[in-house]
């Protein structure tokens, strides 16, 4: 009897020990992939580094980011995204060096810790080979799913051996590597930390400015290349912060895009531009820039509708400028919103053409109204004659597809001459007019009208007649 009790006790002890082990395993590991989780990774890396001497060698953390997971989750379902992540985790685990540790950092990133490195290039070689291995498409039913991967590498520096710090640096490096197209690799450098600090300050300033209405819109005119007639204005957002002063949209828009603020700002810009443009002669259009995030937020159609309704501004005078990047992610969802906006009567303009992918497929996949050729293209006219041929071909191609063209960044009379020769429809740039405050627009409009009356009296009279007809229409 006593013996049975002892063996039962022993059995219970063993069960308990196993249970504790299982619980410890669950606590330390990611349930989907079986890899170590972030917390246990940080603890183990700290333990290993505290025992090592890094006076002549280094350790490294590589953060691997997988882009395309939200796209897969959105189009094929979360279970497929989970399947892809598990498959990539298994590959990572199989190829990693036995002294290295790897973990799943968050939903779409992994980290690898290499405890001993003699040459920083070793870390880069590891990063490259991991990216190569993980980039091989994952088979799902009958289709291969290809992921875009990026890597950020951070090395220990003397006196700084904290896992959290290294992870943060690797994350910044990953961000800088993948900012443009979701792929690539980069080493951390101190300038990245400064950039991150500045971004954090801009974000705070954005939040403060959003509360205190410190945004405004400037308007840059664009003209008919052939007749120099004013055709409309592009609304460009301005931010004036009490302490940081004026911050360029090229800087604050990307920061706003990373937070949810862009949705609020974008809706405000639409409403403000439509409200302002109702005061202009009725043949002038207003163009508003739309961020990719506004499409993903799901509010864009309502925001455009509200902006038009509240100001009683006609949709055919509103142009919405989007960049190619907008169509890279979840293009079906974007395309259907673009179609709705076009059905509402708005013109859809492809902005900054000539940067990014410049994929011609977008041009026939969606019926854009206009193509805006990026200013870097116009600028390159001065550097090489090859650009002339390309510029002419783009304008001809757009015309054949029934699209109007605007050339941005017109700074010299030579630019105007070339674009006239190539029959580009519209020009916009510092030469013809810098972005101006709303209070200066009346002067710009009147000046153009009087010069039109002088140079193209017939056309100017017609445009005034058209203005009158529109104003008198019920
Ligand atoms: P974008 O839409 O391509 O606007 C044209 C930019 O080029 C403007 O810069 C304009 O001031 C500048 N520019 C115009 N002509 C010339 C020229 O001849 N030479 C040079 N060097 N630059 C010229 P800005 O106002 O700094 O805006 C930069 C970008 O910020 C815009 O590029 C647009 O992508 C974004 N942005 C501005 N306002 C908004 C907004 O309301 N919403 C969103 N989502 N983005 C905006
Ligand atoms: Mg634009
Ligand atoms: Mg542009």
């Amino acid at each position: 009897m006593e013996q049975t009790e002892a063996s039962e006790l022993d059995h219970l002890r063993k069960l308990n020990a196993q249970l504790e082990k299982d619980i410890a395993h669950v606590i330390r590991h990611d349930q989907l992939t079986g890899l170590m989780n972030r917390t246990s990774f940080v603890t183990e890396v700290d333990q290993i580094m505290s025992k090592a001497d890094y006076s002549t060698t280094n350790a490294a953390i590589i953060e691997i980011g997988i882009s395309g997971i939200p796209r897969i989750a959105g189009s094929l379902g979360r279970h497929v995204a989970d399947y892809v992540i598990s498959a990539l985790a298994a590959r990572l685990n199989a190829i990693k060096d036995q002294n290295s540790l790897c973990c799943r950092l968050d939903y779409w990133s992994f980290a690898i810790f290499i405890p001993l490195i003699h040459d920083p290039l070793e870390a880069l070689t590891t990063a490259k080979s991991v990216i190569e291995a993980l980039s091989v498409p994952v088979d799902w039913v009958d289709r291969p799913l290809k992921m875009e991967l990026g890597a950020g590498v951070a090395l220990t520096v003397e006196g700084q051996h904290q896992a959290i710090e290294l992870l943060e640096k690797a994350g910044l490096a990953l961000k800088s590597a993948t900012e443009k197209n979701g792929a690539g690799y980069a080493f951390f450098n101190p300038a990245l930390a400064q950039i991150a600090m500045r971004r954090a300050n801009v974000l705070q300033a954005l939040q403060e400015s959003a509360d205190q209405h410190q945004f405004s819109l400037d308007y840059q005119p664009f003209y008919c290349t052939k007749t120099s007639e004013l055709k409309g204005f592009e609304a460009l957002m301005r931010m004036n912060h009490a302490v940081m002063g004026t911050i360029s949209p090229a800087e604050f828009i990307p920061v706003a895009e990373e937070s949810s603020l862009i949705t609020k700002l974008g809706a405000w810009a639409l409403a403000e531009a439509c409200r302002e443009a109702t005061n202009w002669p009725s043949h002038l259009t207003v163009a508003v820039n739309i961020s990719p995030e506004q499409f993903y937020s799901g509010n864009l159609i309502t925001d455009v509708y509200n902006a038009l309704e509240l100001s009683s501004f006609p949709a055919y005078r509103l142009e919405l400028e989007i960049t190619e990047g907008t169509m890279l992610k979840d293009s079906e969802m974007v395309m259907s919103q673009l179609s709705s906006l076009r059905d509402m009567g708005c013109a859809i303009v492809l902005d900054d053409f000539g940067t990014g992918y410049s994929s011609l497929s977008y041009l026939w996949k969606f019926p854009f109204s206009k193509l805006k050729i990026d200013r870097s293209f116009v600028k390159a006219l001065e550097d090489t004659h090859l650009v002339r041929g390309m510029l002419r071909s783009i304008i001809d191609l757009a015309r054949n597809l029934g699209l109007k063209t605007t050339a941005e960044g017109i700074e010299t009379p030579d630019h105007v001459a070339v674009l006239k020769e190539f029959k580009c429809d519209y020009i916009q740039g510092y030469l013809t007019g810098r972005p101006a405050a709303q209070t200066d627009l009346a002067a710009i409009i009147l000046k153009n009208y009087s010069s039109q009356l002088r140079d193209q009296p017939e056309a100017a009279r017609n445009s005034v007649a058209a203005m009158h007809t529109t104003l008198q229409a019920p």
Side-chain angles (χ1 to χ4, degrees), residues 361-381:
S361 71
Y362 300 133
L363 298 186
W364 56 261
K365 272 190 190 155
F366 185 80
F368 289 100
S369 304
K370 201 195 268 183
L371 194 71
K372 287 186 87 172
I373 303 164
D374 190 67
R375 69 166 188 265
S376 57
F377 226 89
V378 174
K379 181 140 188 31
L381 272 176

Side-chain angles (χ1 to χ4, degrees), residues 287-473:
V288 180
N289 291 284
I290 308 290
S291 281
E293 301 309 318
Q294 289 175 264
F295 284 88
Y296 312 141
S297 74
N299 296 336
L300 182 59
I301 310 276
T302 316
D303 290 343
V304 171
Y305 180 83
N306 287 343
L308 294 170
E309 276 292 297
L310 281 174
S311 56
S312 304
F313 189 66
Y316 71 87
R317 289 177 59 199
L318 176 62
E319 300 185 351
L320 303 172
E321 295 195 1
I322 66 160
T323 53
E324 279 177 279
T326 308
M327 283 170 294
L328 286 181
K329 269 200 257 169
D330 209 342
S331 61
E332 272 170 38
M333 186 258 274
V334 170
M335 288 290 177
S336 84
Q337 291 184 56
L338 285 176
S339 300
S340 306
L341 291 166
R342 212 185 141 101
D343 292 346
M344 281 164 72
C346 304
I348 311 291
V349 177
L350 188 56
D351 198 2
D352 299 348
F353 192 78
T355 58
Y357 288 87
S358 308
S359 164
L360 298 182
S361 71
Y362 300 133
L363 298 186
W364 56 261
K365 272 190 190 155
F366 185 80
F368 289 100
S369 304
K370 201 195 268 183
L371 194 71
K372 287 186 87 172
I373 303 164
D374 190 67
R375 69 166 188 265
S376 57
F377 226 89
V378 174
K379 181 140 188 31
L381 272 176
E382 293 151 23
D383 305 334
T384 158
H385 271 275
L386 280 177
V387 174
R388 277 181 68 95
M390 286 175 74
L391 198 53
R392 186 197 287 270
S393 304
I394 293 174
I395 294 168
D396 287 347
L397 175 82
R399 191 180 311 112
N400 290 335
L401 289 166
L403 272 80
K404 298 282 186 200
T405 41
T406 301
E408 298 185 276
I410 303 300
E411 292 186 354
T412 68
D414 283 350
H415 291 160
V416 180
V418 171
L419 291 154
K420 240 183 204 167
E421 184 192 329
F422 293 172
K423 299 194 170 50
C424 177
D425 297 290
Y426 309 113
I427 46 174
Q428 179 179 345
Y430 289 172
L431 180 77
T432 48
R434 286 183 177 254
Q438 168 245 315
T439 44
D440 297 333
L441 301 192
I444 294 172
I445 294 168
L446 281 175
K447 189 171 165 222
N448 183 256
Y449 177 63
S450 69
S451 62
Q452 284 292 299
L453 209 52
R454 189 188 62 224
D455 303 335
Q456 322 257 349
E458 200 50 41
R461 266 186 228 111
N462 285 345
S463 96
V464 169
M467 231 188 278
H468 277 234
T469 321
T470 329
L471 287 173
Q472 281 159 15

